[in-house]
Amino acid sequence: MKPKSWLQSANLAIEGIIYSVKTQRHMRYHLYAALAALILSLVLGISRTEFILLCMAIVLVLVTEMLNTAIETTVDMISEEYHPRAKLAKDIAAGVVLIASIGALTLAYLILYPAFKTAVLNGEWRFTKAPRDVVAFVALSVVIIIVIIIKAFVGKGEPLRGGMPSGHAAVSFSIWTAALYLADSFAVISLTFLLAVMVSWSRWSAGIHRPIEVVAGALLGSCVTFLFFLVFS
């Protein structure tokens, strides 16, 4: 059935992401690798251009893995029995993921290894200070990835309706915590906090989330973001 609203479309799209994470171990491996790469990018203090290239590689791998899952699901639906062409379609889809993964690993090596070698092997290890907007982006990305992984393992509720933790609360409080460091205006900080509270309260009052799920999401978003700014900013 065709979605009737943008929110329903987004819910269905995120359900697809959750399904991929829950059923495909390689998708989970890619998310773990993305977490490690994003955190290392801050630890090693890579340049903004290198960070952008790294993010593009991460997105490419995740997209190809999800396309591979979609193709496998479609082939299984059309051809339940073994067929050479069905196998060929799956093999080609898997090959696309392999090429993207090799390219991403090569790029990550070229970007991260020289910085890692300088920091560790030469005894110059230290947490470098990253631009605050980059810290905010990485923190928000990490929060979203953690929420997706938790929802995939818990398996309760829909991605945008129910389940532990509340993704809306996590994202909104992550943005508010970032505003504490990015904005010099008390009004902006106050309004962002008010918006985060309203978003969280709406999930609670509408019966979409239980109080503990909202609180868990708010704590996850704010604590992870605060930790990133404390260490890297």
Side-chain angles (χ1 to χ4, degrees), residues 30-91:
H30 292 323
L31 284 179
Y32 299 148
L35 279 175
L38 289 172
I39 294 173
L40 275 176
S41 69
L42 293 183
V43 172
L44 300 176
I46 64 176
S47 68
R48 185 180 293 268
T49 300
E50 291 172 331
F51 178 74
I52 293 172
L53 292 173
L54 194 61
C55 289
M56 291 175 63
I58 291 172
V59 171
L60 178 62
V61 172
L62 295 178
V63 168
T64 54
E65 182 62 48
M66 291 189 64
L67 286 174
N68 178 47
T69 303
I71 291 173
E72 287 185 348
T73 304
T74 303
V75 170
D76 289 340
M77 179 186 65
I78 296 174
S79 178
E80 296 182 356
E81 298 180 356
Y82 174 81
H83 192 283
R85 291 187 178 180
K87 178 182 180 300
L88 183 60
K90 290 185 176 183
D91 291 345

Side-chain angles (χ1 to χ4, degrees), residues 55-230:
C55 289
M56 291 175 63
I58 291 172
V59 171
L60 178 62
V61 172
L62 295 178
V63 168
T64 54
E65 182 62 48
M66 291 189 64
L67 286 174
N68 178 47
T69 303
I71 291 173
E72 287 185 348
T73 304
T74 303
V75 170
D76 289 340
M77 179 186 65
I78 296 174
S79 178
E80 296 182 356
E81 298 180 356
Y82 174 81
H83 192 283
R85 291 187 178 180
K87 178 182 180 300
L88 183 60
K90 290 185 176 183
D91 291 345
I92 293 174
V96 172
V97 179
L98 180 61
I99 292 174
S101 299
I102 293 174
L105 284 173
T106 303
L107 184 61
Y109 173 81
L110 294 174
I111 292 175
L112 297 177
Y113 179 72
F116 182 81
K117 182 178 179 180
T118 300
V120 178
L121 299 184
N122 295 343
E124 299 178 3
W125 178 267
R126 65 183 185 278
F127 287 111
T128 58
K129 301 302 180 181
R132 290 188 171 185
D133 58 335
V134 174
V135 176
F137 172 81
V138 173
L140 181 60
S141 300
V142 169
V143 167
I144 293 173
I145 291 174
I146 292 175
V147 169
I148 291 174
I149 291 174
I150 293 176
K151 282 183 175 289
F153 279 106
V154 172
K156 294 182 179 180
E158 298 177 6
L160 298 181
R161 292 186 62 85
M164 173 68 79
S166 169
H168 286 74
V171 170
S172 60
F173 271 90
S174 175
I175 294 173
W176 168 69
T177 306
L180 289 174
Y181 292 89
L182 296 175
D184 297 327
S185 171
F186 177 76
V188 172
I189 295 173
S190 300
L191 291 174
T192 309
F193 176 74
L194 179 61
L195 181 60
V197 172
M198 291 175 62
V199 169
S200 301
W201 175 255
S202 68
R203 312 302 289 177
W204 181 346
S205 61
I208 297 173
H209 283 283
R210 295 178 298 164
I212 190 173
E213 295 169 347
V214 174
V215 173
L219 288 175
L220 173 64
S222 57
C223 289
V224 169
T225 306
F226 173 76
L227 179 63
F228 271 75
F229 274 98
L230 182 65

Side-chain angles (χ1 to χ4, degrees), residues 18-31:
I18 300 293
Y19 175 83
S20 298
V21 176
K22 189 174 183 179
T23 61
Q24 305 297 317
R25 69 178 185 276
H26 290 120
M27 186 66 177
R28 294 193 293 272
Y29 296 158
H30 292 323
L31 284 179

